[in-house]
């Protein structure tokens, strides 16, 4: 038996065919375009996401004789998508989670005294990161698109909802609790859409998807729309929650960090949400078929892997992302250079949408290797800041950190991370744990695996990085640089 797993990420779609031992039989990947119509704006064309989905899945299916028995879906969270449920076409581009255009709306709501209540209900904070204010912006600024929402012809949701709608030819408009909990519209305590938050942000509940468990059959793919396959859709989770499932972080206290476009550190807090504090978020990990919810504390870092991509595409310092390791390793340290990669503002724990990227400490002796090293150090510093916030919020220190995502293949980064955290960093053999988690959820629902205990036995260690000396002076310089980057976009 095998499971098809689909990871609709920020820059492309990954598809895996996973066997009952948790091994990857085949994979496919297809990028799609990023659109930046104005400074701070990031958009995707929904149809391009769907075409990338079809292409990635076809590549994976062509590479194996195994026919999957079900499909699991994971996705970039928070991105706001509108589409016609019957026809599948979208009246406008999607507004991506990285987009900063709603900073003014967030400030307006904060000044009106709403943030405390928003946090109490949703576990989140007023930041452009989340779906709700993106929908408010569309309602205020794109009446042509929003008129369909008001008439009932157009529905709204996150990328998982859109992909499932396309897979089922519009038969199912659903999301799971992990994705719903990232919208500013979902009550994480009651486990349902919040009429209060929907009224506050001007979003009709009728346009939102039905919230379903994270594992369990929610529909079937339509063979005319999805590559000739009629298989159950049996697992759904936001990308970071899926990575937690793929990393076997099933019990309270377990944690992981995914190094993707951004980095996201989550710690499982069990069946009760922990009040968000110290710049962290409280979020749903997953919903069980019986309705029970598990929760996590999350630190969301907006730009990490994207900073390495910027070295490649923006500055031309490297030809490929993997080259950053060798270049950074060619110097013993950053030579006093500090890079704050606030290219789309700062996330946890500082939360400043007006911060902008900055490089400090450049001298005539600075070489491109020092900038590459400073970039890897910045990623490790950001994760350290979040881990320390988690320790302060929970009263306990992370025992180890499991890592995954593209940048986790960078040995130098993992070692710097272990040094900065002063805990072991464990990297699994399969680093595509986001897609793997989607496969595990779907397979658990359909009998491919019988329990999370069985799933845990599929996890295999690739390498463990033990902590060495910690450069405290470098981290102090980092914190000084972060403070100086704040509010930059407000200077005019």
């Amino acid at each position: 038996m095998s499971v098809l797993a689909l990871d609709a990420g920020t820059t492309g779609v990954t598809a895996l065919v996973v066997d009952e031992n948790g091994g990857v039989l085949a994979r496919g990947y297809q990028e799609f375009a990023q659109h930046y119509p104005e400074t701070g704006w990031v958009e995707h064309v929904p149809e391009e996401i769907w075409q990338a989905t079809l292409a990635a899945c076809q590549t994976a299916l062509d590479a194996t004789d195994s026919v999957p028995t079900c499909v699991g879906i994971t996705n970039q969270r928070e991105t706001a998508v509108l589409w016609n449920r019957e026809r599948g076409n979208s009246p406008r581009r999607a507004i991506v989670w990285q987009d900063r255009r709603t900073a003014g709306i967030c400030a307006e709501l904060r000044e009106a005294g709403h943030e405390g209540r928003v946090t109490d209900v949703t576990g989140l904070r007023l930041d452009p990161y989340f779906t709700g204010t993106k929908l408010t912006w569309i309602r205020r600024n794109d009446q042509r698109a929003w008129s369909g929402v008001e008439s009932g012809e157009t529905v709204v949701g996150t990328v998982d909802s859109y992909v499932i709608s396309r897979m089922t030819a519009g038969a199912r408009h659903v999301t799971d609790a992990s994705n719903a909990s990232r919208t500013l519209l979902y009550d994480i305590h009651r486990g349902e859409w919040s009429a209060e938050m929907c009224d506050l942000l001007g979003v009709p509940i009728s346009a939102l998807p039905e919230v379903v468990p994270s594992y369990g059959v929610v529909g079937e793919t339509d063979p005319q729309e999805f590559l000739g396959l009629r298989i159950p859709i049996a697992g759904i989770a936001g990308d970071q929650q899926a990575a937690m499932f793929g990393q076997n972080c099933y019990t309270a206290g377990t944690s992981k960090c995914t190094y993707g476009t951004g980095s996201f550190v989550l710690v499982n807090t069990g069946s009760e949400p922990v009040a968000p504090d110290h710049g962290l978020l409280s979020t749903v990990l997953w919903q069980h078929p019986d309705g029970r919810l598990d929760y996590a504390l999350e630190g969301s870092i907006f730009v990490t892997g994207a900073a390495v991509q910027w070295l490649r595409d923006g500055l031309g310092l490297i030809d490929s992302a993997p080259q950053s390791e060798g270049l950074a390793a060619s110097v013993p340290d950053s030579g006093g250079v500090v890079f704050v990669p606030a290219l789309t503002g700062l996330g946890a724990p500082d939360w400043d949408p007006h911060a902008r990227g900055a490089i400090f400490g450049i001298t005539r002796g600075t070489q491109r290797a020092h900038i590459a090293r400073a970039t890897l150090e910045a990623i490790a510093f950001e994760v350290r800041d979040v881990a320390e916030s988690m320790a302060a919020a929970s009263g306990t220190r992370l025992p180890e950190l499991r890592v995954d995502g593209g940048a986790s293949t960078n040995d130098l980064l993992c070692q710097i991370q272990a040094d900065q955290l002063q805990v072991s960093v464990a990297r699994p053999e399969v680093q595509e744990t986001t897609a793997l988690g989607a496969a595990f959820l779907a397979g658990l629902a359909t009998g491919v695996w019988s329990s999370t205990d069985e799933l845990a036995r599929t996890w295999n260690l690739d390498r463990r990085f033990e902590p060495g000396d910690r450069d405290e002076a470098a981290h102090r310089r980092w914190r000084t640089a972060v403070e100086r980057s704040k509010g930059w976009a407000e200077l005019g």
Side-chain angles (χ1 to χ4, degrees):
M1 289 190 292
S2 65
V3 178
L4 177 62
L6 171 65
D7 177 6
T10 304
T11 57
V13 178
T14 299
L16 302 181
V17 180
V18 178
D19 67 19
E20 62 266 29
N21 297 314
V24 177
L25 297 176
R27 57 173 48 84
Y29 179 75
Q30 181 65 50
E31 287 190 356
F32 53 80
Q34 311 294 302
H35 301 275
Y36 308 100
E38 294 188 27
T39 301
W41 293 24
V42 189
E43 297 180 344
H44 291 157
V45 175
E47 182 64 29
E48 293 177 355
I49 296 175
W50 175 239
Q51 292 303 320
T53 298
L54 294 175
C57 290
Q58 189 68 69
T59 298
L61 294 169
D62 287 346
T64 179
D65 293 330
S66 181
V67 179
T69 59
C70 59
V71 59
I73 297 161
T74 184
N75 56 286
Q76 53 164 311
R77 306 170 301 173
E78 298 98 12
T79 294
V81 191
L82 277 64
W83 69 97
N84 181 289
R85 181 170 174 177
E86 291 186 4
R87 296 190 298 273
N89 60 301
S90 297
R92 57 161 293 116
R93 290 175 180 169
I95 302 180
V96 179
W97 60 271
Q98 299 164 310
D99 191 284
R100 303 276 91 192
R101 77 184 68 181
T102 68
I105 295 173
C106 293
E108 171 190 319
L109 293 166
R110 192 176 298 113
E111 289 165 6
H114 294 297
E115 183 154 48
R117 182 59 181 161
V118 168
T119 298
D120 288 344
V121 173
T122 70
L124 309 177
R125 59 193 297 128
L126 288 171
D127 188 87
Y129 179 27
F130 304 108
T131 318
T133 60
K134 301 180 194 300
L135 296 174
T136 303
W137 187 94
I138 295 171
R139 176 174 59 82
R140 292 182 180 181
N141 295 278
D142 191 347
Q143 187 54 41
R144 181 189 62 83
W146 196 256
S147 63
V149 177
E150 294 173 335
S151 70
E153 294 179 1
T154 299
V155 293
V156 303
T158 42
V159 169
D160 59 310
S161 303
Y162 170 72
V163 169
I164 291 169
S165 182
R166 296 299 300 266
M167 281 181 156
T168 62
R172 299 294 284 146
H173 182 40
V174 298
T175 190
D176 88 302
S178 72
N179 276 295
S181 73
R182 310 299 296 184
T183 62
L184 287 175
L185 303 170
Y186 180 84
D187 187 326
I188 64 170
H189 307 281
R190 297 174 63 88
E192 61 186 25
W193 294 120
S194 166
E196 179 185 0
M197 294 297 109
C198 288
D199 287 345
L200 178 65
L201 297 175
V203 178
I205 287 182
S206 60
L208 293 170
E210 175 190 355
V211 180
V212 298
S214 303
Y215 58 105
V217 175
V218 299
E220 283 188 329
T221 59
D222 185 307
Q224 290 188 321
E225 298 296 324
F226 189 63
L227 307 175
L229 293 176
R230 186 182 296 280
I231 55 176
I233 301 168
I236 315 168
D239 52 8
Q240 302 313 316
Q241 290 93 332
M244 284 284 279
F245 211 82
Q247 285 275 36
N248 303 152
C249 295
Y250 306 134
T251 58
T254 51
S255 63
K256 68 89 199 174
C257 175
T258 297
Y259 300 104
T261 301
S263 287
F264 300 86
V265 186
L266 279 78
V267 59
N268 186 325
T269 61
S271 59
E272 295 293 332
V274 173
D277 200 358
H278 299 275
L280 302 175
L281 309 170
S282 191
T283 195
V284 172
L285 261 183
W286 39 71
Q287 181 179 342
H288 299 278
D290 62 6
R292 288 178 298 118
L293 296 171
D294 285 338
Y295 298 89
L297 275 177
E298 176 174 331
S300 308
I301 304 164
F302 296 154
V303 175
T304 53
V308 177
Q309 292 172 340
W310 180 70
L311 295 185
R312 180 193 66 194
D313 301 333
L315 297 185
L317 296 185
I318 53 177
D319 295 323
S320 65
Q323 285 183 358
S324 63
E325 181 176 3
L327 183 60
S330 69
V331 291
D333 53 49
S334 69
V337 173
V338 179
F339 175 27
V340 181
L343 307 182
T344 58
L346 288 170
D350 295 282
W351 292 104
D352 183 357
H354 303 293
R356 289 296 178 266
I359 302 177
F360 297 92
I362 296 173
T363 69
R364 290 193 64 179
T366 299
Q367 303 171 16
R368 64 191 186 106
H370 294 117
I371 295 174
R373 181 99 183 190
T375 303
L376 299 188
E377 289 180 352
I379 296 171
F381 291 151
E382 289 180 297
V383 172
R384 171 181 168 175
D385 290 346
V386 166
E388 290 180 347
S389 295
M390 286 184 165
S394 66
T396 58
R397 185 166 170 264
L398 299 181
E400 77 166 9
L401 185 70
R402 292 188 172 186
V403 297
D404 54 74
S408 68
T409 61
N410 188 314
D411 289 350
L412 178 59
L413 170 61
C414 290
Q415 186 58 58
I416 296 171
Q417 191 69 83
D419 296 345
Q420 282 297 315
L421 293 178
Q422 289 294 289
V423 300
S424 297
V425 169
R427 184 175 66 199
E429 287 184 352
V430 178
Q431 280 105 51
E432 295 165 307
T433 55
T434 301
L436 194 64
F440 285 175
L441 286 163
L444 188 62
T446 56
V448 177
W449 297 284
S450 61
S451 67
T452 54
D453 288 339
E454 184 180 357
L455 286 172
R457 291 192 289 272
T458 69
W459 193 94
N460 293 302
L461 179 71
D462 172 52
R463 181 172 173 184
R464 186 178 300 276
F465 298 83
E466 299 295 347
D469 295 335
R470 178 154 73 173
D471 190 341
E472 294 287 7
H475 184 257
R476 286 194 297 272
R477 287 194 298 271
W478 157 259
R479 288 307 312 168
T480 299
V482 167
E483 292 302 317
R484 292 183 179 179
S485 75
K486 291 181 178 179
W488 190 264
E490 294 181 299
L491 299 178

